[in-house]
Amino acid sequence: MSPAFRSLNLILLGPPGSGKGTQARLLAERYCIPHVATGEILREEVRKGSELGRDVEAAVSRGELVADNVMRGIILRHLDRESCARGFLLDGYPRTVEQAGMLDDLLAELGRAIERVILLTLPEAQIQDRLSGRLVHPGSGRIYHKVHVPPQQAGKDDVSGDDLARRFDDTPEAMKRRVAVYGAKTEVLKEYYRARGLLIEVDGSGQLQEVTEAVMRAVGAPVGA
Ligand code: AMP
């Protein structure tokens, strides 16, 4: 973490395909804070076949939201940890106003608060393209895009050389549903955090590196002005 920050409690918001996961990984590495990606946590539980995984599999596969109380348990387990003591980066949570309220309450109990919410924007016309070309490395969660962030060798992870795969919830129907759910339930969080003076919007439609630089500037920029 940069010595300029005492703590860095961040949320990355944005529509499906806006590059949240990719940017979150880079940010978390840059600032040495844990990346708490609720979608990845849930997909891992499904892969492991745990009780939680079995409970959420249907919702995740269809692109529907997992119940708020289940998400609360997950967030509690992941934020109330020593590794998050100096900051964290939430990616995929909150997704509803109820979840945002729960998060505020939980952080208040821990004597902490969200310091910045970065909204990655993406024109609707680009969302399908970003989602349909997405590939992941199942072992690490590294994210690629066939065109925008291509692996060095087609279909292979740059670091391990393993095969890349589609996310099991990247079916056309689930992708469409996730976009609709974002509009219906999550988009409103923009106003929720803007009203608190925490929101910074970053154009997510540019080249990967440009967006990363803009996101880093947003992390360092004053908010609430
Ligand atoms: P993501 O990887 O962020 O696109 O999330 C994949 C899927 O996980 C979503 O479509 C939901 O089914 C589920 N999910 C992830 N985060 C949440 C959340 N905060 N609330 C409810 N469901 C979630």
Side-chain angles (χ1 to χ4, degrees):
M1 183 177 319
S2 155
F5 297 110
R6 253 190 332 118
S7 78
L8 205 50
N9 304 333
L10 301 174
I11 295 175
L12 208 51
L13 270 184
S18 58
K20 286 189 306 294
T22 304
Q23 295 299 337
R25 297 177 75 84
L26 295 168
L27 266 189
E29 199 175 303
R30 165 73 177 77
Y31 295 108
C32 294
I33 52 177
H35 170 203
V36 181
T38 48
E40 272 181 36
I41 293 168
L42 292 167
R43 281 188 296 277
E44 181 55 24
E45 293 296 329
V46 173
R47 258 195 305 274
K48 284 192 311 208
S50 68
E51 194 181 334
L52 171 62
R54 288 195 300 276
D55 286 348
V56 302
E57 183 168 9
V60 174
S61 304
R62 288 202 306 263
E64 299 290 352
L65 292 184
V66 169
D68 287 342
N69 65 326
V70 175
M71 295 312 299
R72 182 174 190 278
I74 291 173
I75 285 298
L76 257 174
R77 277 202 299 286
H78 283 82
L79 288 191
D80 191 15
R81 276 194 337 206
E82 195 52 32
S83 63
C84 286
R86 297 196 59 209
F88 53 80
L89 175 53
L90 285 175
D91 160 12
Y93 189 96
R95 262 175 152 95
T96 63
V97 170
E98 291 72 22
Q99 291 183 6
M102 274 186 222
L103 179 63
D104 287 342
D105 294 347
L106 169 64
L107 291 176
E109 274 171 39
L110 300 172
R112 310 175 60 172
I114 292 298
E115 279 140 10
R116 224 152 276 216
V117 178
I118 296 170
L119 172 70
L120 279 180
T121 61
L122 190 71
E124 227 176 298
Q126 290 183 31
I127 290 179
Q128 278 311 320
D129 164 57
R130 290 282 189 100
L131 287 176
S132 57
R134 178 159 66 190
L135 291 168
V136 293
H137 175 234
S140 68
R142 273 186 288 279
I143 304 166
Y144 297 86
H145 187 280
K146 283 181 184 160
V147 178
H148 305 293
V149 191
Q152 285 157 15
Q153 194 191 341
K156 302 283 181 195
D157 177 48
D158 288 351
V159 178
S160 64
D162 294 343
D163 286 342
L164 299 177
R166 300 279 295 157
R167 273 173 40 170
F168 71 79
D169 60 338
D170 269 355
T171 60
E173 301 75 31
M175 290 189 298
K176 209 165 145 202
R177 189 65 199 135
R178 282 207 302 276
V179 174
V181 169
Y182 179 83
K185 303 270 175 116
T186 311
E187 208 161 11
V188 59
L189 291 178
K190 179 172 156 181
E191 294 317 320
Y192 182 95
Y193 288 115
R194 197 199 302 285
R196 286 164 174 70
L198 294 175
L199 191 86
I200 302 186
E201 291 192 39
V202 171
D203 178 1
S205 66
Q207 296 293 315
L208 173 70
Q209 204 178 333
E210 282 167 19
V211 179
T212 305
E213 284 165 13
V215 168
M216 302 252 177
R217 278 198 299 279
V219 173
V223 285

